[in-house]
Amino acid sequence: MCGIVGVLGLHEAAPLLVEALKRLEYRGYDSAGIATVNAGKLDRRRAVGKLVNLSDLLVHEPLAGKSGIGHTRWATHGAATTTNAHPHRSGPVAVVHNGIIENFRELRAELTAAGLSFESQTDTETVALLARHYIDQDAAPIEAARQTLKRLHGAFALCFLFEGENDLMIAARKGSPLAIGHGEGEMFVGSDAIALAPMTDRVTYLEEGDYAVITRAGAVIYDDADRLANRAETRIELDATRIEKAGYKHFMAKEVAEQPVVIADALRRYVTSGQDALPALRLPAEVDFSGVDRITMVACGTASYATHVAKYWFEQIAGIAVEIDIASEFRYREPPLSPQQWALFVSQSGETADTLAALRYTRDKVAKIVAVVNVPTSSIAREADLALPIMAGVEVGVASTKAFTCQLITLALLALKAAQDRGRLDAVGLAKHLGDLAALPGLMNHALALSPAISAIAEELAEAQDVLFLGRGAMYPLALEGALKLKEISYIHAEGYASGELKHGPIALIDNRVPVIVLAPRDALFEKTVSNMQEVMARHGKVLLISDAQGIAEAGEGCWRTLTMPQVADAFAPILYALPAQLLAYHTAIAKGTDVDQPRNLAKSVTVE
């Protein structure tokens, strides 16, 4: 959610911290700040709003020192003000923090009784005051940090800096990701490997409950029982070109356009093909659905809608019953789980707090835990029995686009493997489905060519106060996803409905000011969807029909607007139709002048409940 950076360097820290924080802007934030130690003196600078405000402040009030910590904040406690911005400081201690300290009120009362005063509304300031309290009681900085960590309840990633300590940082994680970067005579800390990429490609990921004592000579890591922990150092490989806009106005536009490429990448990873053989699946040997009688899929937001689409595939193609759960609700209803079932968790970042907590709930209750993630080194990937990377590459735009379609591809391949393992698909039938999937990158290029037409429609759509999306079958979850995209970045109220549910309440909203976007390829359910569409038009609703040429020819008359999509296999139409839904949201946001890549109140990686 927020961004953390730490530097024990050989050069001035402030420019490195600001540059690293820029690479974390995609996470979303409302304020930023840095703190450094220079000749033993601790100082900090903070600013509300974009990082450019912090940069301007540093021009007028420079901050020297080769040791420092930095932070971009997304509010959980307290409004976006300079006082509430990180780093938080109390006496000789400065702290940056991702997550939530759940017992901060009790700690705050205890510290107030001890004579310490607070200046912010945040939970994080409690951490700084608590460490200072232990230092006031003659604890050394390392011991003060250790004692502080023992008192904290909740989810956190923390990085401490101390006055008088030019060569010391303390980093800790519990429920929120944190990585240590290794340099030559330098050390770094980051909440995301992207932040560290320009400085090092050697990274150690802290595990749950770990804390690290970091100097320029290296890091000594302890587990939550204060035992020395040996954590592996890994090499990170980030394609720098995928972190740049590459001539596009926004990251979202670039990432929408990248979908044919990344979909092809995912297919190449998991599908074999040859001139003399039918295409076949190349999934890990552990992916064997023989004997699996049920699957529980758990995710949040866009990833949850991907599981809703996948439910149709697993049930219709593979014949396996699937239960879908929103991660934030899953463990609280204490669902019954079986040793014969699998649990499948989907997350773009692999750090989604609710999804990770749900995964931990299922441990030892199911036969296998499978993670479908975009970051193979993430917490969810590491804690699952098996992780399947979706191959989307770095996704910077807060509103997920290419990660969504890559999730769908990976889930579709899993459904086909399930059908094969259960004897419902022979080699020829499997090859037919794989051929349909292989056609998608080319079809996506045709869909992307609709962008100018979609832009023209969006100019009018931007005037709406409310928008409805309709779909049937596997297009219903896509209607939910289309509505989510529109509300995320254009701030227009939008809702997705199963087309057949229209008459059960939502039809009361229909008038000539409410656009209704109908996602309806010419499939077995098309005629029923057209009937629902006619009900909208009979009440003067403005219908945008998105269908193929045959569907437009049969039902396009009387529509407000139409978009003609290429013909696609019925089963995998949701993957292709995701593109016009994304482009409608993007161009509508452009027409309204909203912040496409960093929409208000949203964060890319949600690491708190």
Side-chain angles (χ1 to χ4, degrees):
M1 182 172 292
C2 313
I4 286 177
V5 182
V7 172
L8 292 177
L10 302 175
H11 308 284
E12 288 297 308
L16 296 175
L17 293 168
V18 172
E19 186 59 33
L21 291 175
K22 286 180 181 177
R23 297 172 70 84
L24 296 176
E25 282 191 290
Y26 74 96
R27 286 168 166 251
Y29 66 103
D30 53 41
S31 57
I34 64 172
T36 63
V37 176
N38 183 44
K41 182 183 177 183
L42 177 66
D43 203 357
R44 64 178 169 169
R45 303 286 184 268
R46 300 177 293 173
V48 174
K50 298 298 184 182
L51 272 167
V52 66
N53 298 332
L54 178 62
S55 297
D56 288 346
L57 177 63
L58 289 168
V59 170
H60 299 289
E61 299 179 36
L63 203 55
K66 297 178 181 179
S67 307
I69 55 177
H71 192 265
T72 48
R73 173 184 185 259
W74 188 87
T76 55
H77 294 82
T81 64
T82 303
T83 302
N84 288 331
H86 297 220
H88 284 281
R89 179 182 180 180
S90 181
V93 184
V95 175
V96 289
H97 166 222
N98 290 351
I100 292 178
I101 307 301
E102 294 176 352
N103 63 331
F104 84 99
R105 290 182 180 86
E106 300 96 297
L107 293 173
R108 191 179 183 111
E110 177 185 324
L111 291 165
T112 300
L116 294 172
S117 59
F118 290 76
E119 65 175 26
S120 80
Q121 301 167 292
T122 70
D123 56 336
T124 306
E125 190 184 6
T126 307
V127 180
L129 267 78
L130 189 58
R132 180 218 178 137
H133 176 63
Y134 290 125
I135 289 174
D136 288 345
Q137 294 179 331
D138 295 326
I142 295 173
E143 179 61 18
R146 190 189 70 81
Q147 290 186 45
T148 298
L149 294 171
K150 296 298 182 185
R151 301 290 309 280
L152 304 180
H153 300 161
F156 53 78
L158 289 162
C159 194
F160 296 81
L161 200 64
F162 300 92
E163 189 156 68
E165 300 286 348
N166 293 292
D167 191 24
L168 176 66
M169 285 191 301
I170 308 292
R173 75 152 290 183
K174 181 182 177 183
S176 195
L178 204 60
I180 298 171
H182 304 265
E184 298 299 327
E186 299 180 292
M187 293 293 288
F188 312 97
V189 173
S191 51
D192 194 316
I194 290 175
L196 303 181
M199 297 179 282
T200 182
D201 64 349
R202 297 161 50 208
V203 168
T204 297
Y205 292 95
L206 294 184
E207 296 188 7
E208 187 71 0
D210 284 354
Y211 68 95
V213 178
I214 306 168
T215 66
R216 287 177 176 82
V220 180
I221 301 174
Y222 300 88
D223 65 15
D224 57 1
D226 295 323
R227 297 170 299 204
L228 284 171
N230 183 21
R231 306 302 184 208
E233 181 183 309
T234 60
R235 296 270 179 174
I236 55 174
E237 297 181 7
L238 288 176
D239 184 349
T241 63
R242 293 195 176 185
I243 311 173
E244 304 297 335
K245 291 180 182 175
Y248 289 88
K249 187 175 181 181
H250 300 95
F251 280 109
M252 183 178 177
K254 175 175 175 281
E255 288 155 6
V256 169
E258 284 176 342
Q259 288 176 106
V261 173
V262 294
I263 290 297
D265 288 344
L267 289 169
R268 275 192 294 270
R269 181 181 179 98
Y270 295 122
V271 178
T272 64
S273 59
Q275 293 181 341
D276 302 321
L278 292 172
L281 291 167
R282 184 169 51 200
L283 289 161
E286 306 97 297
V287 181
D288 185 349
F289 289 90
S290 303
V292 178
D293 63 6
R294 185 161 61 104
I295 299 172
T296 293
M297 296 186 188
V298 183
C300 298
T302 286
S304 180
Y305 296 145
T307 66
H308 278 73
V309 174
K311 176 182 172 74
Y312 287 89
W313 294 331
F314 275 92
E315 293 186 343
Q316 294 177 355
I317 301 174
I320 297 181
V322 172
E323 186 177 77
I324 301 293
D325 252 297
I326 298 169
S328 57
E329 295 292 329
F330 176 69
R331 68 192 189 281
Y332 296 119
R333 68 179 183 85
E334 300 179 358
L337 298 169
S338 152
Q340 283 72 51
Q341 75 175 91
W342 284 16
L344 197 153
F345 297 87
V346 184
S347 167
Q348 184 277 137
S349 68
E351 303 292 351
T352 310
D354 289 315
T355 307
L356 182 57
L359 184 153
R360 290 169 178 163
Y361 175 86
T362 65
R363 191 172 289 135
D364 301 324
K365 295 183 177 74
V366 298
K368 193 180 294 292
I369 296 172
V370 180
V372 175
V373 294
N374 198 30
V375 185
T377 55
S378 62
S379 298
I380 290 173
R382 293 199 305 271
E383 296 193 26
D385 298 322
L386 174 66
L388 297 174
I390 63 173
M391 308 303 292
V394 175
E395 186 179 70
V396 175
V398 166
S400 183
T401 52
K402 63 177 181 173
F404 175 66
T405 49
C406 282
Q407 287 166 353
L408 289 176
I409 284 287
T410 308
L411 292 167
L413 295 173
L414 281 173
L416 295 178
K417 182 62 163 61
Q420 185 181 42
D421 291 341
R422 294 164 63 83
R424 292 172 64 99
L425 268 185
D426 60 16
V428 174
L430 175 63
K432 169 63 170 66
H433 283 302
L434 293 177
D436 291 338
L437 289 172
L440 283 172
L443 297 176
M444 284 180 165
N445 284 318
H446 288 290
L448 290 171
L450 295 172
S451 188
I454 292 173
S455 178
I457 293 170
E459 291 289 338
E460 295 185 63
L461 199 63
E463 302 299 321
Q465 299 295 313
D466 305 279
V467 177
L468 301 184
F469 285 74
L470 301 181
R472 274 187 181 269
M475 301 304 290
Y476 162 48
L478 193 64
L480 296 172
E481 168 63 8
L484 176 63
K485 281 290 160 288
L486 188 66
K487 71 182 81 170
E488 277 183 315
I489 62 171
S490 76
Y491 315 146
I492 293 174
H493 174 248
E495 299 294 338
Y497 289 98
S499 299
E501 282 295 292
L502 184 69
K503 63 180 70 68
H504 297 285
I507 200 167
L509 301 173
I510 300 300
D511 61 26
N512 59 8
R513 296 168 298 174
V514 179
V516 178
I517 299 169
V518 180
L519 301 158
R522 182 63 177 88
D523 57 15
L525 300 175
F526 179 73
E527 290 182 0
K528 294 184 180 297
T529 302
V530 170
S531 296
N532 303 132
M533 198 174 76
Q534 293 294 334
E535 293 168 351
V536 171
M537 292 192 289
R539 290 157 178 82
H540 309 291
K542 299 167 59 176
V543 171
L544 165 59
L545 174 61
I546 305 176
S547 186
D548 49 54
Q550 185 178 355
I552 298 296
E554 291 182 17
E557 186 176 349
C559 289
W560 166 56
R561 294 285 187 274
T562 60
L563 282 172
T564 304
M565 294 285 287
Q567 187 71 41
V568 62
D570 290 354
F572 306 122
I575 304 174
L576 180 64
Y577 277 63
L579 273 67
Q582 294 165 358
L583 288 169
L584 273 170
Y586 174 76
H587 286 297
T588 303
I590 294 295
K592 292 199 69 177
T594 58
D595 191 336
V596 172
D597 287 333
Q598 297 172 37
R600 68 189 182 198
N601 303 332
L602 296 180
K604 184 63 175 171
S605 180
V606 182
T607 56
V608 296
E609 290 192 60

